Every structure is written in C-alpha cells, then in structure tokens.
Amino acid sequence: MDRTGALRTAVVDALAGFTRRAAADADRDGRKTAAVTMTLIPAAGATGEGPLADELTFLLTRRATSLRAHSGQWALPGGRADPGESITEAARREVSEEVGLDLGEDRVLGLLDDYPTRSGYVITPVVLWAGGAGEPTPNPDEVGSLHRVPLREIDQEPRFLTIPESDAPVIQVPLFDRFVHAPTGAVLYQFREVVLHGRATRVAHLEQPVFAWK
C-alpha cells in the first residue's frame, strides 16, 4: 500500500462503520433524485501517517453566476441523476462534467445520509477518492471557481439559527470567513462527524435558509 492508500482505507473504514439513512418514501414523493460528492484528494506532502483532517482535501465549487438555479452559491460537485442512472453513476458523471475528473466505480468509498431539499430533490452524498486521478479542471459553464479545501477547515463547530419560517434549526458551517448553509453545509457537517470523529450524527432534519427554498 502506498502512503496515501492508508488515508483511503481510513475513510472507507469510517464509512463502513456508519449505517446511513435513506430518505423515507414520504420524503421522496415528487422529489427528483440527485447526487453530491465529497471528492477527496490527498494534500500536498501527505504522508499517510497524520490525522485525516490534515492529510486530505475535498473539492468545493462556487457555482457559475450564469446558472439559472442557485447561481454563485457554494456547492459540492453533483447534480440530478439521469433516467436509469444509479446514484454513484450520477455522482461520477457530475464530477467528470464539472471538474474534469474521470473516476471509476472503484473510486466510490461510501455514502452518507440522504437529504431532502426544499427545492424538490433528494440528495445522496457520495464519497469519492480522486487521489492519483489527475488535476481537476473546472468547467466554466458550471463552475465559477474551484477550491481544494483541507478537511481541517470543516473541523469546526457549526452554528444553528432559528427562523420564523421553520421549527427546524438552520445550520451554518464556518468556512472562508463566512458560512456555508444546507444542503452543502449539512453534508460537510455529517462528513466531519462520521469520518473525522466517528459519530453517527444525523442532518436530514437541519433546515436550509429561506433563500435556498426555491
């Protein structure tokens, strides 16, 4: 096993020890199926011997301002599944289309909990390994900017807000001196809890800000 292979194994083991929750039929009713990805790449100089938070990075995008839906927002690579496409096929296709990485099915490390969104989707987070797959290249039609973020940056306590429109708390994950909201923030938080800390923390109940409801 090479140095970074130990990092991949550690993520696989953490996800294997987590029993994910699929969306209930009631939550799926009328919602479209979509995938988002936690695409992991070893940090420059990774030894395979340090904490995962220091040794691994993930890909985060800023959506192109030309897009009709949620333009300019922080997002993990992903999108709607095509007819007949499995969720992992959709995830890998979206990573190829958005950031130019062609990842085989053997690059799928595991799944996190489904997250039903206010905008009519059930999102399944798919964790992918992109170590040794080449340099990511953003597609300017979909991606305004591409960031390789150390996992250490999301290993922080989120903020939970109350809003008059919902009884559920709105999650805000601190990143880049600002906050990332659900659904992206919920995925980042659950990944941090499950993979970095071994805690089966649930996030499907966490609310999105009102501006993301459409």
Side-chain angles (χ1 to χ4, degrees):
M1 181 182 298
D2 64 23
R3 292 182 302 173
T4 60
L7 302 175
R8 175 175 177 158
T9 298
V11 176
V12 170
D13 289 348
L15 292 169
F18 170 69
T19 302
R20 91 174 199 99
R21 290 182 181 173
D25 290 343
D27 289 326
R28 287 190 175 276
D29 186 31
R31 286 186 166 94
K32 305 175 184 70
T33 300
V36 297
T37 64
M38 282 293 292
T39 303
L40 304 179
I41 301 176
T47 65
E49 299 175 352
L52 291 179
D54 295 329
E55 298 270 270
L56 290 177
T57 69
F58 69 95
L59 296 182
L60 184 70
T61 72
R62 198 75 180 265
R63 289 171 60 84
T65 56
S66 58
L67 294 173
R68 289 183 299 174
H70 308 298
S71 63
Q73 292 184 17
W74 295 111
L76 297 163
R80 182 177 175 179
D82 289 340
E85 196 174 42
S86 73
I87 202 64
T88 57
E89 288 170 341
R92 294 187 293 107
R93 174 181 53 77
E94 288 289 342
V95 166
S96 177
E97 292 175 358
E98 290 189 29
V99 299
L101 292 177
D102 293 321
L103 305 177
E105 190 70 20
D106 61 323
R107 298 285 187 142
V108 177
L109 305 188
L111 309 178
L112 295 172
D113 285 351
D114 288 346
Y115 184 93
T117 75
R118 288 280 191 170
S119 55
Y121 292 87
V122 171
I123 293 175
T124 301
V126 179
V127 182
L128 298 173
W129 183 259
E135 191 65 22
T137 304
N139 176 355
D141 292 335
E142 299 191 42
V143 178
S145 60
L146 176 63
H147 305 265
R148 191 180 298 187
V149 184
L151 290 182
R152 176 65 63 195
E153 293 294 322
I154 62 168
D155 194 14
Q156 305 180 59
E157 292 303 316
R159 186 166 71 174
F160 298 99
L161 305 180
T162 58
I163 58 174
E165 294 86 354
S166 174
D167 292 333
V170 173
I171 184 172
Q172 295 184 321
V173 173
L175 188 64
F176 302 145
D177 295 322
R178 58 193 74 187
F179 292 96
V180 179
H181 300 86
T184 299
V187 175
L188 295 179
Y189 177 49
Q190 187 172 59
F191 182 90
R192 175 242 191 185
E193 290 288 281
V194 171
V195 175
L196 298 186
H197 296 286
R199 297 189 287 250
T201 301
R202 304 299 175 179
V203 298
H205 65 288
L206 297 176
E207 185 61 271
Q208 300 171 249
V210 174
F211 68 74
W213 287 16
K214 296 181 179 180

